[in-house]
Structures are given as C-alpha cells and as structure tokens.
Amino acid sequence: MKEYKLQGLSCANCAAEMESEIKKLDHGEGSQLKFGSSKLMVDEDVDLERVRQILKSDGASLVEEEGHEHHHHDHSHGPNMKLLVIFSGLIFGLTFFVESMVPGFVIILMYVVAMAISGYQTFIKGAKNLVRLKFNIDTLMTIALVGAVAIGEWREATMVAILFGLNEYLEGLGMEKARHSMEKLLKVAPKQATLLSEDGTEAVVPIESLEKGDIVLVKAGEKIPSDGIVMEGFSSVNEAAITGESLPVEKAPGETLYGGSINNEGLIKVKISKAYQDSSLAKILHLVEEAQDRKTPTELFINRFAKYYTPLIMVISGLVMVAPPLLTSAAWGASFYQGLAVLIVGCPCALILSSPIAIIAGITKNARNGILIKGGVFLEQLGKIESIAFDKTGTLTKGEPTVQEVKVYREDFYKIAGSIEKSSSHPIAKAVMKDVETKQQTLVEPTVVNAIPGKGIEAEIGEHEYYIGSEQTITHLTLPETQQKDIDALKEEGYTLVIVSSDEELLGVFGIADEIREESAGLMQSLHQAGIQQTIMLTGDHKKTAHKVADKIGVTNVYADLLPDQKVDQVKALSRNTKLAMVGDGINDAPALATADLGIAMGKGTDSAIETADIVLMQDHLGKLPSAVKIAKQVNRVVKLNISLALGLKLFALFLTIPGWLTLWVAILSDMGATILVTLISLTILWQKSEVHSHTTKEEAEVQPSA
C-alpha cells in the first residue's frame, strides 16, 4: 500500500463516498481515505488517474511530493473558495444599490453570476449525483437552488449559494485547524543526523539510513536522531517530545536517550540502539497519527444515522411540498418554497462534524502532554471511566525498597550492617547500603560469609559472629521488652525488617518499605475532583503494608495478598459493576491491563508498554493522568453538546414550517450556524490551557511543554 497526502478534504461524508468509489476500482478493495489525517492509502497497482478524477469530483487532490516537503493548507477549495465567496458576496450586495437603476434582467444576470461564482462546484457535483441517484448534501443544495430559481426566488437562491459556499469554507478551515495542530506535533521527528564513521570522518545522512550500532554526533540545539546510549560527553536533554516534561534531564555516558529529544548543551557522542523506524518516537508518532482515524462508537453511529438521514429529509421535503395543498387550501407555490427550505435544513454537515474535530483536538492535546492515546475510541472510553485500579509496586510506589525507619542499639550497628551487605546485589541489601553510605562508616571485610536459607546471612568479623536478616536470625536471643516492642511496632507499621545481631545482643533494626511516589497522594484527590468515583489499589503485598500505603495516598479501596491471576480475577469482578481502567507498568500487569475496560501503562517509551495498553503515560509518574481524564470528559461533553446543537437547530427550523415561517434564509443560516458553532466549540479543547498538577514543580509550571 502506498500513502498519499491529500488537500482540499473538508467533508467527512464526501470523504466516505470518495473512499467507496475508489474501492470499486481495480486493485482498490483495500483503499483507505483517512479524513482525520487527510491521507489516502491505495494499492500501488491502482489507476492513479482514476483516483485523481474521483478526488477532483469533490474538490480534493493528491499532494505531489518530489523529494522535498510541500506544505498545503488548501481547505476545501482553500483560499480560492474564500475569494470566490467574497467576490460573489460583493456582486450580491451591489444588487441592492443598483436595483432601482437598471432593468430587471440585469439584476437577474448579477444574481446568476454571483450564484455561479460561489456555487458552481456544488451545482456540478449535485447534478452528477442526481443522474446517479446518489443523495448527499450537494444533491440537496442543487435541488434547492434549481427549485428556488424555478419559482422566481432569485435573491434567496443567490443567498443560499453564497452562504453554503461560506459554510463549506469555514467547515474546511475548522478541520484544517485540528489537522494543523496534529501536523505540528508530528514535526518533532528529526530529519537528519551526523554519522561518525570508523575513520573519524563525519557525514550528514537521513535518519532513515541509521542502523543499530551506528555512532552519531549531536551538537547543542540539535535533535537526537534515534534511541541510543551516550558514549561520550555530558549534557542536559529536553525530552518534552516523548514525556511531555519541560524540565531538562541530565545525561552522562552510559545513559539512554530518546530520539526526538533535544540536546541543550555540549557535544555528545551517541551509539544508536534502534533504527529510527523502531524508535520510541517513531512508534509514538505512528500511533498518534493512526489514532486520528480510528472512529469512536459515537462517530460510527453518526455516520450510520447520516446515511439514512439525507433520504429521510428528501421524503419530508416532498411531503411538505405536496401534503398541505392536497389536504388543505395552502398554495402550491408557498408549499414548494417551504419544501425547498426543508432540503437545506437537512444538510448533515454539522452533525457529521460533531465528533472528529473534538476527537483530534483531544488526542493532540494529550499527546503534547506526553499522554499517548491510541484512538478516539479509547479517548471516549476514558471520558466514561468511573473507577481506576492501580498496581501498587512501581505505579503508586517507586518499586525500590528504601530504609524508612531505623532502631539503633549499639554504635557499630551501621559498620557491621554495611560490612556484611556491601557485596550483595539483593534489592533490600542495596537499600541498607544506601542508608549506611549516608553515615560515612569505615567498613571492614568479613572473614566468613554464609547465607542461611529463609533467614538471612551469617558473617564473621574479627572474632565475633554476626547475623543480618529476618526475625529468624534472632531466635537465639532473649530480647529486652523495649526492643521487642520496637520490633512489634515496626511490624505493625507494615515494614519489612532487616535485623542486625551478634551471638549475644541485638545491634539494631532497619524498617524497609517501598517508597511512595511524591505525586501519589495529591493524585487521588485530583482524580476524584476530575469525576473518578473510586480509586482502587491492587497488590500482592500483605494487608498491613497495603493499608499503610493506601492510608497515605487516599485510595478508596484496597485488595491485598493477590497473586497475578487473582489480580486479573479481581479486575474482572470490579468491571462487572463499574467502568474500570487499570493502571500498571505495562509488563507484568499485561493480563490485568487487557482485562480492564481500559488499560493505561506507565511506559516512558518502553516497547512493551506502548504495545500492551490503550493509553500510555510517557512520563515515569502518574501526575498527568487527572489532566488526561479531564480532557477526555471534556471531549465527550463537547461531542454531546455538538450533536444536540446540530439536531436542535435543525428541529427548530423544521418546526417553523408548521406556521409557514421557514424561509431559505433561515434554513441556510440555521445550517451554517450549527456548523460554525460545532467547529468553534470543538476547537476550544485545543485553546484551553492545561492545568498544572500537584507533582509539578514551580519551574515546570512556568515552562509549559510543547511538541
């Protein structure tokens, strides 16, 4: 399949019809016309000339690219349509001034010219549709224009043509605004890199040619071309394109880099770890681009509804034309005029635009914040979520044990603990060593070190035996009441105990726990304020530890002592009674993420997270989750409001037919008003500033991330 960029694509309904026509061509079965991203996917063997003709029938065309970038903003007949509408409007306005000065046929001629300038494209398309018995907005407008002219309503027919042309232009302009916002986001991808060859020579190459293992030089201010590792040099890097975080991250040799992030200062030598097409940024941009064109249930319903809506309007229009004269004494001319107005009111453009602009705006705004939503369907789902379940370890906590409390009974406690644990790679031993290092102790080398299975370690230092580990290492001691109380209190607090003792006495105790993330406490409050009813913690830890964490961060429900399969069962049980999202790290929580109504992963660019979840938080924290929920709920509110306005204004106009007050002017204004309102309301999602949440530092608040 080959991909082409399109221009002049403004009508979702027309796009669907063109896609249907292209699919009828030889080799066209798998073709896709993506209205959201304004792209066409076709088989390489398809007849491109026929494709161009189909696109041209609706004012769209392929953007021809010849090795360099073109940037087009030709929304539905673009600037040309704008000029045509202005010119025809001026001619129409002139008729009011010269009406009394020239013969009637001159005024009619001016009306015809004004109509032709702004409405000729609609008329040609509508006439072709009538021949093929295809009924859409162009067909409705063509019938209305011909009918109005037939009964001598020249002025109103001209006004309908001008306002419809203006409506088409504004509709295209609104869609293009949303697309432009997405294109701006996609521009973060670097275009070229400075490749360093084995003999030390430098060459500027396209990023697509980079391979794993290549060495590149990145100067200050340049973008890192692909995921890699720092080989030489120190710098601070702006990772906003990936994580949405505005504060720079310090990088030293051996540390990982994300393609698309910006080297702020200094020269760094980078070893490419992934070809660009496999990099985190490439995957993110590809998924964001795909997300625009995944239709939500609401969009699918609107499209199905619009398919039957237009023929229904034509039937209603016909009844309005013939029923009153046949059943009452109403005049045929007046009824025919009312029927024409009904045709114009029946335009489904505003209804079809109710959802796509809002969806694209919501996905784009979240992507700027480092929140990757894989499609409109997931954005809509996020807006309906009532409860969020969190895996504890690595999500609400940092996933790293740290010493939280210490009881010291002998002054050489830290020295003995550090001397025994310094060679261990166990996470708890590392936590002990991190605490010992703050005390600046002089450590010694044990002469003997033996592991005691299920208990801890036995070591010989000098002429004495020492033990470090669980309570099982002190069964040989009779502890004073105060020491036993300390141990019981630490256990009650939910700490994992690391006890240091000798053959004769207790030296001290470390109380170790997984450190709670700084943003977790404020996060729960923000989520509840955003409309989430329940926040739930799922963990394999024992109840005391789980409840201790839960009390500190403020979750509403806790389920502890869960094995991985029990976690999945719990998610299934919760999903029966509430719309549930599951938040995890995207690797060991994959089954639970897949089971929930919505899977949200904390990935910071990891492949597994991007592939597993429906939504990926590219930061290494949950601080922007409340913002994502608020944006999703706002999008859902906007879509509902848009549908209500689109249908409400049309129903109001249709009711005006009962007393006979519906004119062509009112009909086209109600249609245009609905389209403009729907477009502007949808774009407010992009215009509103993001809130700064509790975890965000003052500096981050001042420097908003932008992609």
Side-chain angles (χ1 to χ4, degrees):
M1 299 292 278
K2 196 167 181 181
E3 183 179 272
Y4 294 91
K5 183 76 179 160
L6 300 177
Q7 61 182 8
L9 196 64
S10 68
C11 168
N13 202 28
C14 308
E17 288 173 1
M18 286 191 289
E19 181 184 79
S20 177
E21 289 296 314
I22 293 168
K23 282 183 175 179
K24 292 175 185 175
L25 300 175
D26 291 338
H27 310 290
E29 302 84 5
S31 302
Q32 289 182 11
L33 202 161
K34 301 179 177 182
F35 176 66
S37 54
S38 195
K39 288 184 178 179
L40 175 67
M41 302 280 291
V42 289
D43 191 285
E44 291 185 10
D45 296 325
V46 80
D47 185 346
L48 267 187
E49 200 50 49
R50 289 293 312 280
V51 170
R52 286 191 180 95
Q53 287 173 9
I54 292 168
L55 293 171
K56 190 179 178 183
S57 70
D58 198 66
S61 61
L62 300 176
V63 175
E64 305 293 346
E65 295 193 18
E66 299 175 7
H68 59 279
E69 287 190 24
H70 286 60
H71 207 73
H72 294 264
H73 287 294
D74 189 18
H75 11 80
S76 174
H77 339 303
N80 294 334
M81 191 64 196
K82 182 180 176 182
L83 291 172
L84 292 175
V85 168
I86 291 171
F87 192 45
S88 59
L90 289 173
I91 294 172
F92 179 68
L94 193 60
T95 61
F96 289 90
F97 296 101
V98 302
E99 194 171 12
S100 58
M101 307 176 195
V102 297
F105 77 89
V106 175
I107 297 298
I108 290 173
L109 189 62
M110 291 175 74
Y111 286 143
V112 171
V113 172
M115 264 191 283
I117 290 172
S118 61
Y120 76 95
Q121 289 175 322
T122 301
F123 182 80
I124 291 168
K125 287 187 281 184
K128 287 179 181 176
N129 289 342
L130 271 174
V131 172
R132 289 179 286 184
L133 295 177
K134 190 170 84 175
F135 300 105
N136 62 11
I137 178 57
D138 297 311
T139 318
L140 295 182
M141 285 297 150
T142 300
I143 294 170
L145 285 173
V146 171
V149 167
I151 60 173
E153 294 289 348
W154 293 96
R155 178 172 287 176
E156 296 206 7
T158 308
M159 191 63 183
V160 165
I162 293 170
L163 289 177
F164 184 68
L166 178 62
N167 190 42
E168 286 275 275
Y169 170 71
L170 292 173
E171 183 184 329
L173 188 65
M175 197 66 213
E176 197 63 31
K177 282 276 185 192
R179 285 196 195 114
H180 177 60
S181 180
M182 181 64 75
E183 285 170 6
K184 194 175 173 186
L185 175 73
L186 299 177
K187 277 185 186 174
V188 299
K191 301 291 182 291
Q192 54 191 29
T194 305
L195 180 66
L196 193 64
S197 59
E198 290 181 8
D199 60 5
T201 57
E202 298 175 16
V204 177
V205 298
I207 55 165
E208 292 82 4
S209 66
L210 291 179
E211 296 177 0
K212 183 178 178 181
D214 283 348
I215 307 294
V216 296
L217 290 177
V218 185
K219 298 171 187 173
E222 289 184 346
K223 288 178 181 176
I224 289 146
S226 187
D227 294 0
I229 299 165
V230 180
M231 299 287 289
E232 290 179 20
F234 295 83
S235 184
S236 64
V237 173
N238 182 345
E239 295 181 342
I242 304 292
T243 66
E245 299 287 4
S246 57
L247 288 183
V249 181
E250 298 298 324
K251 296 291 181 180
E255 295 196 79
T256 57
L257 297 164
Y258 296 114
S261 46
I262 300 168
N263 179 21
N264 286 335
E265 57 201 36
L267 179 71
I268 52 175
K269 190 184 287 186
V270 179
K271 184 177 183 179
I272 299 298
S273 57
K274 289 178 184 175
Y276 175 72
Q277 59 268 27
D278 299 322
S279 69
S280 302
L281 180 66
K283 286 184 178 180
I284 291 165
L285 297 183
H286 177 66
L287 287 168
V288 169
E289 206 168 2
E290 274 193 339
Q292 302 175 80
D293 298 295
R294 290 188 184 176
K295 295 198 184 304
T296 67
T298 304
E299 281 182 286
L300 291 170
F301 168 75
I302 289 170
N303 288 346
R304 282 197 302 269
F305 179 73
K307 188 178 177 182
Y308 301 105
Y309 173 79
T310 305
L312 179 65
I313 285 293
M314 295 193 75
V315 171
I316 293 171
S317 172
L319 289 172
V320 170
M321 287 178 182
V322 300
L326 291 175
L327 302 175
T328 68
S329 57
W332 282 95
S335 296
F336 187 74
Y337 178 87
Q338 291 279 297
L340 293 177
V342 169
L343 280 180
I344 295 170
V345 168
C347 167
C349 289
L351 184 64
I352 291 168
L353 274 182
S354 297
S355 185
I357 296 178
I359 293 290
I360 291 174
I363 290 172
T364 303
K365 188 167 183 180
N366 274 312
R368 285 178 185 171
N369 289 336
I371 300 159
L372 174 60
I373 297 178
K374 293 187 181 178
V377 61
F378 303 121
L379 183 67
E380 186 176 301
Q381 186 80 312
L382 179 61
K384 293 177 181 176
I385 289 298
E386 299 163 340
S387 307
I388 300 181
F390 298 88
D391 172 59
K392 180 184 80 72
T393 306
T395 304
L396 297 174
T397 63
K398 292 184 177 179
E400 297 174 3
T402 56
V403 174
Q404 304 278 319
E405 196 144 345
V406 182
K407 299 292 180 185
V408 181
Y409 305 117
R410 210 171 88 176
E411 62 180 18
D412 61 348
F413 163 67
Y414 285 108
K415 178 181 176 180
I416 298 299
S419 298
I420 299 172
E421 295 281 42
K422 66 178 181 177
S423 300
S424 175
S425 59
H426 194 283
I428 287 180
K430 288 181 179 178
V432 168
M433 286 307 300
K434 196 176 281 188
D435 193 54
V436 169
E437 283 164 9
T438 64
K439 309 301 178 187
Q440 297 180 335
Q441 295 287 311
T442 304
L443 305 182
V444 296
E445 196 67 41
T447 51
V448 178
V449 177
N450 293 315
I452 310 169
K455 295 182 180 181
I457 295 173
E458 177 187 13
E460 189 176 310
I461 298 175
E463 297 178 0
H464 300 281
E465 295 285 331
Y466 293 98
Y467 306 90
I468 186 166
S470 68
E471 280 185 273
Q472 297 298 314
T473 61
I474 56 170
T475 52
H476 62 286
L477 297 177
T478 302
L479 301 179
E481 187 178 344
T482 53
Q483 292 181 358
Q484 189 60 55
K485 278 185 178 178
D486 286 345
I487 288 172
D488 292 340
L490 290 171
K491 283 163 63 181
E492 190 66 30
E493 285 287 311
Y495 290 120
T496 297
L497 303 187
V498 175
I499 299 171
V500 184
S501 63
S502 67
D503 278 332
E504 300 166 352
E505 61 182 323
L506 188 65
L507 277 65
V509 184
F510 292 100
I512 291 177
D514 192 358
E515 189 177 353
I516 296 171
R517 290 177 177 273
E518 293 84 352
E519 76 277 2
S520 291
L523 173 76
M524 299 306 149
Q525 189 178 355
S526 297
L527 285 172
H528 293 146
Q529 288 171 353
I532 299 300
Q533 296 163 15
Q534 293 183 79
T535 47
I536 301 154
M537 188 172 80
L538 306 177
T539 179
D541 284 349
H542 54 78
K543 287 183 180 178
K544 283 182 180 177
T545 303
H547 280 282
K548 181 190 173 191
V549 173
D551 291 342
K552 283 187 178 179
I553 63 177
V555 295
T556 53
N557 302 82
V558 182
Y559 297 92
D561 296 316
L562 297 175
L563 296 172
D565 58 329
Q566 293 174 322
K567 206 177 280 188
V568 172
D569 292 339
Q570 190 62 58
V571 168
K572 283 180 182 174
L574 290 165
S575 297
R576 291 189 199 109
N577 304 312
T578 184
K579 286 278 184 187
L580 182 75
M582 172 72 193
V583 182
D585 62 14
I587 303 168
N588 56 356
D589 295 313
L593 289 172
T595 304
D597 295 311
L598 193 71
I600 303 174
M602 290 172 57
K604 204 173 184 182
T606 60
D607 294 344
S608 54
I610 291 174
E611 287 161 12
T612 304
D614 307 315
I615 296 174
V616 182
L617 308 176
M618 299 309 294
Q619 313 85 20
D620 194 26
H621 59 72
L622 297 169
K624 293 188 177 179
L625 183 57
S627 169
V629 171
K630 286 180 180 177
I631 291 169
K633 287 185 180 293
Q634 184 191 4
V635 168
N636 285 358
R637 283 195 303 270
V638 162
V639 170
K640 286 176 185 173
L641 176 61
N642 284 348
I643 293 170
S644 302
L645 281 171
L647 292 176
L649 282 172
K650 291 180 186 304
L651 282 173
F652 173 74
L654 285 174
F655 280 129
L656 292 179
T657 59
I658 297 170
W661 295 345
L662 183 63
T663 65
L664 294 181
W665 297 66
V666 171
I668 191 67
L669 285 171
S670 72
D671 175 57
M672 189 174 81
T675 304
I676 292 171
L677 275 174
V678 160
T679 301
L680 289 176
I681 291 168
S682 296
L683 289 174
T684 58
I685 295 165
L686 281 174
W687 296 335
Q688 288 183 0
K689 288 186 177 179
S690 301
E691 292 180 25
V692 180
H693 294 287
S694 56
H695 79 280
T696 311
T697 64
K698 184 180 177 184
E699 290 82 1
E700 283 180 289
E702 289 168 352
V703 187
Q704 290 298 318
S706 61

